[in-house]
């Protein structure tokens, strides 16, 4: 990488609320893309790892201890993705379980993934990539539990899956699949 190349870490923090999947965005207060919405994140410090950088940047917007799941999503390297020079972006997917609702700064809000506002740079594409990763993993992992409360009913879990998938899910079929995986525990 040349000296003019910067590396940023971005967080795609998702939650399922009221039947829809939402993403945490902040409104840019400076150029480029003044007034557009962006994923939380920022420049990688000279002495930090990508993981350390995203934790630091997310902590400025949301209590990262609230996140139930964090994983590296992708790295974007298109030379034209940032108008002020070469910038590599590594995005992380983070999931916030219900019903947690951490306080966020005034310039930060939750937005429906299926109705994003005007987004800065390629952040809309990155958000949709995170949604698709989540949807794919729902079919072969228990990642949906990371969006649910610690204890939940099948109906509550069905709502989480429906919000993440973008379509209605049969509670009976969901329960059958999860029982087959051996991941449901009766709580009374």
């Amino acid at each position: 990488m040349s000296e003019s190349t910067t590396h940023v870490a971005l967080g795609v923090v998702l939650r399922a609320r009221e039947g829809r999947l939402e993403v945490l965005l902040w409104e840019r207060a400076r150029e480029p893309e003044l007034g557009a919405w962006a994923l939380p994140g920022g420049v990688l410090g000279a002495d930090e790892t990508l993981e350390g950088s995203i934790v630091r940047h997310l902590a400025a917007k949301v209590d990262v201890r609230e996140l139930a799941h964090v994983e590296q999503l992708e790295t974007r390297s298109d030379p034209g993705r940032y108008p002020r020079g070469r910038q590599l972006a590594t995005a992380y997917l983070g999931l916030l379980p219900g019903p947690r609702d951490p306080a966020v700064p005034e310039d930060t809000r939750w937005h429906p993934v299926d109705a994003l506002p005007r987004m800065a740079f390629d952040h809309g594409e990155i958000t949709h990539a995170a949604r698709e990763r989540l949807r794919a993993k729902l079919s072969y992992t228990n990642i949906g539990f990371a969006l649910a409360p610690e204890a939940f009913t099948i109906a509550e879990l069905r709502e989480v899956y429906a919000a993440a998938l973008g379509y209605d899910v049969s509670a009976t079929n969901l329960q059958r699949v999860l029982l087959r995986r051996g991941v449901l525990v009766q709580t009374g």
Side-chain angles (χ1 to χ4, degrees):
M1 284 191 279
S2 70
E3 290 185 68
S4 64
T5 300
T6 59
H7 200 145
V8 296
L10 302 171
V12 185
V13 179
L14 301 175
R15 71 178 187 179
R17 293 292 187 282
E18 299 177 13
R20 65 184 185 197
L21 191 64
E22 297 178 332
V23 62
L24 186 69
L25 302 174
W26 66 277
E27 190 173 16
R28 290 187 54 84
R30 60 184 169 156
E31 293 291 351
E33 301 279 0
L34 174 71
W37 291 88
L39 296 167
V43 176
L44 175 68
D47 62 343
E48 66 185 349
T49 65
L50 280 167
E51 292 80 9
S53 179
I54 195 58
V55 167
R56 176 174 59 85
H57 290 294
L58 283 177
K61 296 293 176 186
V62 64
D63 185 350
V64 292
R65 294 170 299 180
E66 297 277 338
L67 298 178
H69 176 84
V70 178
E71 70 177 70
Q72 188 172 335
L73 176 65
E74 66 180 15
T75 298
R76 297 267 172 141
S77 61
D78 180 354
R81 69 170 301 278
Y82 185 72
R84 291 191 176 163
R86 184 73 191 264
Q87 186 181 82
L88 301 178
T90 299
Y92 286 80
L93 169 63
L95 302 178
L96 183 71
R100 295 183 188 152
D101 196 18
V104 295
E106 278 187 31
D107 66 349
T108 306
R109 291 189 188 80
W110 294 97
H111 294 269
V113 173
D114 60 357
L116 293 174
R118 182 173 72 88
M119 299 287 287
F121 317 116
D122 53 2
H123 293 200
E125 295 171 23
I126 294 169
T127 300
H128 288 127
R131 178 187 62 195
E132 294 311 308
R133 166 79 61 87
L134 173 62
R135 286 178 174 176
K137 290 185 85 167
L138 286 171
S139 69
Y140 65 91
T141 71
N142 303 325
I143 197 169
F145 290 21
L147 291 166
E150 190 172 327
F152 51 82
T153 66
I154 292 297
E156 290 169 328
L157 188 62
R158 185 201 64 75
E159 287 180 21
V160 166
Y161 272 73
L165 291 169
Y167 57 83
D168 198 23
V169 175
S170 162
T172 304
N173 288 342
L174 179 61
Q175 183 173 2
R176 184 174 49 242
V177 168
L178 296 176
L179 283 171
R180 193 173 345 153
R181 289 184 190 166
V183 297
L184 291 180
V185 176
Q186 290 286 346
T187 61

